[in-house]
Amino acid sequence: MTRKIIIDCDPGQDDAVALLLAFAANSELEVVGVTTVAGNVPLELTERNARLMCDIAGRDDVDVYAGCSRPLVRSLITAEKVHGRTGIDPLQIRQPSRPLKSQHAVDFIVDSLLSTEDGPITLVPTGPLTNIAMAIVKEPAILDAVDKIVLMGGAMREAGNHSPSAEFNMLVDPHAAHVVFECGTPIIAMGLDVTHQVLSTPDRIERIRALGSEAAVATADMLEFYNRHDMEKYGMHGGPLHDPCTVAWLLKPELFKSKRCNVAVETTSELTAGHTAVDFWGISGRPENAEWVYEADAAGFYDLLVEYLERYSR
Ligand code: RIB
Ligand code: CA
């Protein structure tokens, strides 16, 4: 049974790898569309980068939409120091073969969900949640067609990566994150606690590079660049591979362990904006609104990534 998904992303190297993984899984996942949001780099780059991944994957059947160019309330913060000026350094940037769709991403999400007739759609956000929140506020009825939201964001034991207490996606748009976590739809939340277990070590990158296809070599090149920031910062022997964890969960959920918890997002404090208060021990009495993913089989994850990227070599 093919699962219909919409990936909402801010490529960014790890978003780009999530797209390549999802595109390779074309018998398991039907990518209804890719929507883009400002985050790692500004919107005009995230949408271009998403279209470039469609080209590299040879998926001219997938349309890319641009969404919100800034968060709901706060000013946009970006992360060129991590992702490079293009957002997908060190790849050679070329003009994508196909144009950006003219419809706004939020309207595409609303229209797709209101019109779907052959089963629900899974939302897979891997950037700030501005587009998803806007769609929910604009038309709450869309949630009847969403079976779950599988998102990358938040942190519990790992603390923050872009402020002392907040993970980047939550920090960029905490108000949007609040709307999403309060919407009532089942959420699978992949935070830093799990993504920091999934490290792109040199041997894993070489295993990917050896596949030889343009998609595999692009993945290896992007991960080598993307790794350096976190390896220096954390002293890790590889960089965390955040966003592809969402797609890997869709393909092989048994690679992960999770616990139903309440997750609440700080929206008022300037000091801790975007902090995800994960009630892992059920202390608050607040409703359990998410599956908080806390463990990954990292070796199994990379076996899966290689298995699917190998499909580009056929
Ligand atoms: O904190 C990691 C997240 O922020 C990832 O989604 C990365 O792409 C950035 O968007
Ligand atoms: Ca991202």
Side-chain angles (χ1 to χ4, degrees), residues 28-308:
E28 297 86 348
L29 302 174
E30 177 190 341
V31 181
V32 173
V34 173
T35 53
T36 54
V37 68
N40 289 320
V41 287
L43 180 64
E44 60 270 19
L45 298 184
T46 60
E47 67 85 358
R48 181 212 55 198
N49 295 341
R51 287 190 286 144
L52 272 177
M53 289 309 117
C54 293
D55 283 349
I56 289 175
R59 293 298 301 269
D60 59 6
D61 60 314
V62 177
D63 289 325
V64 175
Y65 300 79
C68 298
S69 58
R70 52 147 298 175
L72 298 183
V73 175
R74 291 168 63 93
S75 303
L76 176 63
I77 54 174
T78 53
E80 285 86 351
K81 70 177 182 339
V82 178
H83 297 272
R85 190 179 47 76
T86 71
I88 51 172
D89 285 23
L91 297 195
Q92 191 69 38
I93 299 300
R94 59 185 192 247
Q95 187 57 31
S97 68
R98 291 166 65 239
L100 176 72
K101 298 295 283 182
S102 58
Q103 187 179 29
H104 192 283
V106 172
D107 295 328
F108 168 75
I109 292 168
V110 170
D111 291 353
S112 299
L113 289 168
L114 291 182
S115 62
T116 182
E117 290 172 350
D118 51 347
I121 294 176
T122 302
L123 298 181
V124 186
T126 61
L129 290 165
T130 317
N131 290 341
I132 308 298
M134 286 281 280
I136 293 170
V137 169
K138 177 170 186 179
E139 183 46 83
I142 64 171
L143 293 174
D144 295 338
V146 178
D147 64 339
K148 54 174 64 68
I149 299 171
V150 185
L151 64 85
M152 191 278 142
M156 184 179 127
R157 294 189 175 91
E158 278 299 302
N161 63 355
H162 212 82
S163 81
S165 52
E167 178 277 324
F168 181 76
N169 291 337
M170 302 292 111
L171 175 64
V172 171
D173 199 338
H175 300 87
H178 172 77
V179 168
V180 172
F181 276 102
E182 298 303 315
C183 77
T185 294
I187 292 173
I188 309 295
M190 296 267 180
L192 299 181
D193 297 64
V194 65
T195 65
H196 280 195
Q197 298 172 33
V198 180
L199 303 182
S200 297
T201 54
D203 57 316
R204 287 167 172 167
I205 291 177
E206 284 322 302
R207 216 178 134 202
I208 292 167
R209 184 180 302 285
L211 296 171
S213 65
E214 181 186 8
V217 172
T219 297
D221 288 346
M222 285 192 286
L223 294 184
E224 247 166 27
F225 177 91
Y226 185 47
N227 270 356
R228 84 216 182 288
H229 180 272
D230 280 354
M231 287 173 76
E232 284 161 25
K233 174 173 160 184
Y234 295 109
M236 292 169 167
H237 59 294
L241 190 43
H242 306 288
D243 295 335
C245 286
T246 58
V247 179
W249 187 90
L250 294 173
L251 297 171
K252 200 171 183 181
E254 58 270 29
L255 289 174
F256 302 94
K257 286 183 184 166
S258 63
K259 185 170 189 268
R260 280 197 63 70
C261 299
N262 175 268
V263 178
V265 185
E266 176 60 60
T267 57
T268 53
S269 158
E270 191 47 42
L271 177 64
T272 58
H275 174 73
T276 44
V278 180
D279 188 5
F280 198 81
W281 304 115
I283 300 167
S284 69
R286 290 192 293 267
E288 295 169 346
N289 59 347
E291 283 290 337
W292 178 254
V293 184
Y294 63 88
E295 192 172 303
D297 168 1
F301 170 90
Y302 282 93
D303 287 347
L304 178 98
L305 183 58
V306 168
E307 174 194 342
Y308 280 91

